[in-house]
Amino acid sequence: MTATGSSEGRAGVEVRLEHLTRKYATTTALDRLTLTLAPGELVALLGPSGCGKTTALRLLAGLEEADSGRVIIAGKDVTNVPANRRNIGMVFQAYSLFPHMSARQNVEFGMQLQHVGPAERRERATEVLDLVGLAAHANKFAHQLSGGQQQRVALARALAIKPKVLLLDEPLSALDAKVRARLRDEIRRVQLEVGITTLFVTHDQEEALAIADRVGVMQSGHLEQLGPPTEIYSRPATPFVAEFVGLTNRIKGEVHGGTVDVRGTRIPLVDPDVDDGPATALVRPEAVTLASNGEMEDGPLVGTVIAIAFLGAMSRVTVDLGDTIVLAQMATSAASQTPAGTKVRLTLRPDPVLIQREQPAATAP
Amino acid sequence: MTAASSPALSSAARPLEGGRRPTLSWVGVVPFFLYVGVFLLLPTAIIVGGSLLTPSGSLSFANFEGINKPYMFKAFASSIAISAVSAVVGAFVGALLAYAVVTGKPDGILRRTVMSGAGVLAQFGGVTLTFAFIATLGTVGFVYVFLLQHGIDIYARGVWLYDQAGLTLIYLYFQIPLMVLVFAPALDGIRPQWREATDSLGGGTWHYWRYIAGPLLFPSFLGCTLLLFANAFSAYATASALLTQGGVILPLQIQFLLTSETGSSQPGYAKALALAMIVIVLVVMTLYTLLQRRTAHWLR
Amino acid sequence: MNRSRRIKLQIFRITVFLVLGAFFLVPIGAMFEFSTRGNAINAPRTLEAWIQIAKTPGLTDAIVASLELAAITSILMLVLVLPTMVWVRLRLPRISRIVEFICLMPLTVPAIALVVGIKPIFIWMSNFTDSILILSFGYVILVLPYSYRSLDAGLSAIDLKTLSEAARSLGAGWGTVMWRVVVPNMPSAILNACLLSVALVLGEYTFANLMNYENLQVAIAYVGLTSAGTSIAVAVASLIFAFALLLILSFVRRPRTGFAAADPVELDLAKPLALSGAVIGRAGR
């Protein structure tokens, strides 16, 4: 590949954030965050706004200073190195292109600051613009480019300085859905091609799961769970993760000796080591299936379909059980068997679930 | 046409008169056009006609030749010098103040106070302003006396307050606030991401100002400076109240021509001067507009 | 932003505010100081100059004249401009550019130049009356850009078309639409336009001086020749009055809840100046 060919020193350094803490006047944005990015890995930090994910990225970039903790890039402690000497590529949320420079000038600017000669600058700019698929638009200005194209240029600009680390701060959040999905895959392709260690910050769980090697879910300044996307989704470590990533049904149940009894169905627990008593089970919509065969006796899992949301190949069916509402997700062909108004019986797949205790004082899993 | 542009109105009001609507619509704006016709457009026509036409109605530049005198050139030069210096200094100082303001809290009390104050002071001028400076820096003025008591005589080489230097200083009192008002929006258009992008690309403060903020703000800064120039160039009352000797700057020459014998015997001279002033202001304001348009899509 | 950069910025800001704060406040303070001086050196503070204001006959006449001028100009401006703007928006939107251009034109014609062309008209009018109040006809032109901007902002914030159509469908005539619908819906824009007019008229010197009328500013300059203390006292008083008006404005424009929030008003007097440039640009094309 053209870009990787000229970037020997770039591919893959290790990045370590150690016990990073950052307090603002009234809030703690980051609370002893520790995170290691393996060489060439793409880690996505996911969380609601204010969870500290952006602060973590800005501390790594050097745009803000930590109250305590260390930032180590390629084995070197850079905690006290200013942003402009960290050699980190950064892509911002939006509007970060210099509006008075063409795409090419934007890309060349960083190299200019590094005193790269004009000929090489030109060559490398062409190379990275080509890498992001924008070679044809090199002479356009930001206001002549679409939002997606602007972010591609921003990516090219960040990569042109051959940074050790690439930081992406919600780079897709200002774009519309279609462009977002395409550019997301594009970013991943480029990142794999260049092999650069990357931190990607987002509040969009779909984005994080689709792009990352590992996803870190954050809440109030600390990591709730860090792991591969499949693990985050199918084995959430905490109720927060379960609810933040994907849709979750909250159904009341009763814990008995390591399992939870939900409306007559016994489901194993992710963490069986909890006290007996009432609890809310967090059940994924895809763990709910439904059947309809004419006359049905009333029962705890019998209810009426009240809505069907068509999502393409999959559909989401909303079932009213009388005292609660449950979502089920299934193939559209299956969902069309039970139009709104149909009486159905639900079946809960016995995948291990997380529970949440009603009393705030109860133990968290 | 008009009926079609407001169909609901016409059908609700007088459905059968559609055909006569266009004529009726114009009736509503007649008073306004009559008024501005008499008190704005006619005076403008009087200036243009009176300066370019002979009494018999033919085109002539005699009036411009009539004011082609050394003392007129001196007044022109003084007017331009005072306007230029007060515009450039006002623009620099005003830009610093605007920067100090926009780097504070966006909705802070300081920002609101300074912007409101600037709105008031940008309009402040004339006799009152002149007196304020006389009370401050006049030969019995508060600050002058205070400095003198501490061994500093700012008039050791002559009293310059009633001079062009004094006038320029006084003009700064409304030029700086005007600059704050017109330049702050441009500074607000500078995004913090640009600074951070520069940082992440390896640039420092110098690189940021030299390659990013400077080039981005310069056209707007230049445009605002031109606006300040036009503002000072048009000012009359302050100079009239401050300067006792007449004719130092262009507006005072007009004053002289309007109130003296020479003026009444040659009414075209004042009009020629007025036309010259209008043309200069028009040119400057057009340049300002072009510069503003250039940065419009940068600093949105 | 890192800490040392933030500290440097704070030092810069404080310095700028202190130095310029002094530049702008000291002259106003000095006027106060001057107007309370006694006659002799080391004489005690006295309000003699202020008392003299009432005893100087020409001065009180001029103050009254200026206040009357301010009132007449405001009313004339409203009666002339507001119905026209409403009418143009509803019935003749295609001439709105022309109206805007005309209203902002006085900004590119300096008052000192305009007076040259307008003086013959006033000389002709003085055949009918010698009252100073005819100056209002000229002042309406001078305040036109500011009033236009303010009223335009107010009108843009209300759905004029729907409101007037609703009123008309209920049987209201144009007068009722203006008085009962438009005016009550943009109180702060109208107040803003009036206060700006008042402030500008009270500070006006060029027209009055060059057409030989004695308004407030001309009288201040005139009294200044004989009694500096008194004229500065009047100047301070008129300044305080104008500041008070403009400060009222800056509070009026704070958006509140409900319908008043849809009636934004801006204080920045420089905007029309900047706008006139835009108009020139358009006309030039």
Side-chain angles (χ1 to χ4, degrees), chain A residues 279-355:
Chain A
T280 300
L282 306 174
V283 183
R284 293 278 188 214
E286 56 270 31
V288 181
T289 51
L290 43 86
S292 167
N293 44 4
E295 294 298 300
M296 266 184 303
E297 289 170 28
D298 284 350
L301 281 172
V302 174
T304 312
V305 174
I306 53 173
I308 300 181
F310 173 63
L311 307 173
M314 303 294 279
S315 285
R316 194 175 296 141
V317 183
T318 312
V319 180
D320 184 358
L321 291 180
D323 55 349
T324 187
I325 295 207
V326 172
L327 295 175
Q329 188 159 313
M330 65 199 67
T332 296
S333 55
S336 61
Q337 307 291 311
T338 56
T342 316
K343 221 171 173 196
V344 292
R345 177 189 303 280
L346 304 185
T347 315
L348 307 179
R349 215 170 42 221
D351 291 343
V353 295
L354 286 164
I355 54 162

Side-chain angles (χ1 to χ4, degrees), chain A residues 129-353:
Chain A
L129 280 170
D130 201 38
L131 183 69
V132 299
L134 272 187
H137 301 285
N139 294 320
K140 289 193 178 162
F141 289 83
H143 68 275
Q144 298 165 316
L145 297 168
S146 71
Q149 289 171 331
Q150 290 186 31
Q151 290 302 72
R152 285 164 194 257
V153 177
L155 179 63
R157 179 177 72 181
L159 291 174
I161 58 169
K162 297 189 177 177
K164 293 201 198 80
V165 186
L166 180 63
L167 303 181
L168 302 148
D169 184 9
E170 307 230 15
L172 307 173
S173 64
L175 306 175
D176 53 51
K178 229 177 165 171
V179 181
R180 203 180 323 175
R182 224 185 30 228
L183 189 52
R184 179 189 73 201
D185 299 342
E186 186 82 2
I187 290 175
R188 178 57 161 165
R189 175 185 66 77
V190 169
Q191 186 264 340
L192 286 173
E193 210 168 306
V194 178
I196 186 169
T197 312
T198 302
L199 186 68
F200 185 103
V201 158
T202 178
H203 64 270
D204 182 334
Q205 43 116 349
E206 194 192 324
E207 207 168 280
L209 298 180
I211 200 171
D213 293 312
R214 281 190 301 158
V215 175
V217 183
M218 288 187 72
Q219 193 205 189
S220 23
H222 67 271
L223 269 177
E224 287 270 317
Q225 185 177 3
L226 178 65
T230 49
E231 185 188 308
I232 296 281
Y233 188 81
S234 53
R235 289 197 304 281
T238 68
F240 175 82
V241 175
E243 288 206 67
F244 193 79
V245 181
L247 275 171
T248 302
N249 287 302
R250 302 169 59 87
I251 312 175
K252 286 206 176 78
E254 192 76 26
V255 175
H256 289 297
T259 59
V260 59
D261 182 345
V262 180
R263 300 177 90 95
T265 305
R266 292 190 80 80
I267 307 176
L269 292 176
V270 172
D271 175 14
D273 195 17
V274 288
D275 298 337
D276 290 358
T280 300
L282 306 174
V283 183
R284 293 278 188 214
E286 56 270 31
V288 181
T289 51
L290 43 86
S292 167
N293 44 4
E295 294 298 300
M296 266 184 303
E297 289 170 28
D298 284 350
L301 281 172
V302 174
T304 312
V305 174
I306 53 173
I308 300 181
F310 173 63
L311 307 173
M314 303 294 279
S315 285
R316 194 175 296 141
V317 183
T318 312
V319 180
D320 184 358
L321 291 180
D323 55 349
T324 187
I325 295 207
V326 172
L327 295 175
Q329 188 159 313
M330 65 199 67
T332 296
S333 55
S336 61
Q337 307 291 311
T338 56
T342 316
K343 221 171 173 196
V344 292
R345 177 189 303 280
L346 304 185
T347 315
L348 307 179
R349 215 170 42 221
D351 291 343
V353 295

Side-chain angles (χ1 to χ4, degrees), chain B residues 1-2 5-9 12-14 21-22 24-29 31-33 35-36 38-44 46-47 93-94 96-97 99-101 103-105 107 110 112 114-117 119-129 131-136 140-143 145 169 172-174 176-178 181-182 185 195-196 199 205 227 231 233-238 240-241 251-252 254-255 258-259 267 270-271 274-275 277-278 281-282 285-286 288-289 293, chain C residues 1 5 9-10 12-13 16-17 20 23-31 33-34 37 76 80-81 83-84 87-88 90-95 98-99 102-103 105-122 125 136-141 144 146 161 164-165 168-169 174 200 203 205-207 209-210 212 217-218 220-221 224-225 228 231-232 235-236 238-239 242-243 246-247 250-251 253-254 267-271 273-282 285:
Chain B
M1 30 180 284
T2 318
S5 68
S6 56
L9 264 185
R14 274 163 253 163
R21 308 293 300 176
L24 263 176
S25 292
W26 290 100
V27 173
V29 291
F32 175 79
F33 280 102
Y35 191 95
V36 295
V38 172
F39 291 104
L40 180 60
L41 304 180
L42 180 61
T44 314
I46 288 175
I47 294 170
V93 179
L96 287 182
L97 181 54
Y99 184 72
V101 169
T103 45
K105 278 199 206 96
D107 279 320
L110 186 76
R112 278 174 52 193
V114 174
M115 294 310 281
S116 295
V120 175
L121 293 177
Q123 289 299 309
F124 189 33
V127 187
T128 316
L129 177 61
F131 281 10
F133 271 87
I134 292 175
T136 312
V140 292
F142 180 67
V143 170
V145 172
L169 177 72
L172 286 178
Y173 201 85
F174 54 75
I176 293 170
L178 180 59
L181 290 182
V182 293
R195 175 73 204 232
E196 292 176 351
D199 274 345
T205 303
L227 186 76
N231 190 42
F233 194 75
S234 312
Y236 155 74
T238 312
S240 166
L252 296 185
I254 293 182
Q255 166 186 307
L258 281 183
T259 52
K271 287 163 192 146
L275 184 63
M277 279 191 78
I278 294 174
V281 171
L282 213 59
M285 294 294 273
T286 306
Y288 161 77
T289 308
R293 200 178 289 156
Chain C
M1 202 188 302
R5 200 192 286 168
L9 180 67
Q10 285 309 326
F12 161 79
R13 296 183 69 214
V16 167
F17 287 132
L20 289 180
F23 178 71
F24 286 107
L25 293 177
V26 165
I28 292 172
M31 283 173 93
E33 190 273 335
F34 197 94
R37 280 188 198 175
L76 198 55
L80 185 73
V81 178
T84 305
W87 187 268
V88 166
L90 292 177
R91 303 290 294 274
L92 290 167
R94 65 217 158 80
I95 66 160
I98 301 171
V99 172
I102 289 175
C103 286
M105 213 176 113
L107 294 168
T108 47
V109 183
I112 179 68
L114 185 61
V115 77
V116 174
I118 218 170
K119 195 174 180 184
I121 298 166
F122 272 82
M125 284 199 299
S136 319
F137 289 116
Y139 288 173
V140 168
I141 298 296
L144 205 52
Y146 304 95
K161 203 166 164 63
S164 71
E165 280 170 6
R168 300 269 294 162
S169 76
W174 282 112
L200 289 174
Y205 175 76
T206 310
F207 272 33
N209 186 43
L210 292 175
N212 304 319
Q217 298 296 324
V218 175
I220 291 177
L225 297 178
S231 71
I232 286 185
V236 172
S238 75
L239 189 62
F243 275 20
L246 293 163
L247 279 179
S250 68
F251 284 107
R253 75 172 179 147
R254 284 284 111 199
L267 180 62
D268 51 349
L269 296 139
K271 274 287 166 55
L273 202 58
L275 250 177
S276 72
V279 173
I280 294 170
R282 262 200 297 276
R285 280 186 160 179

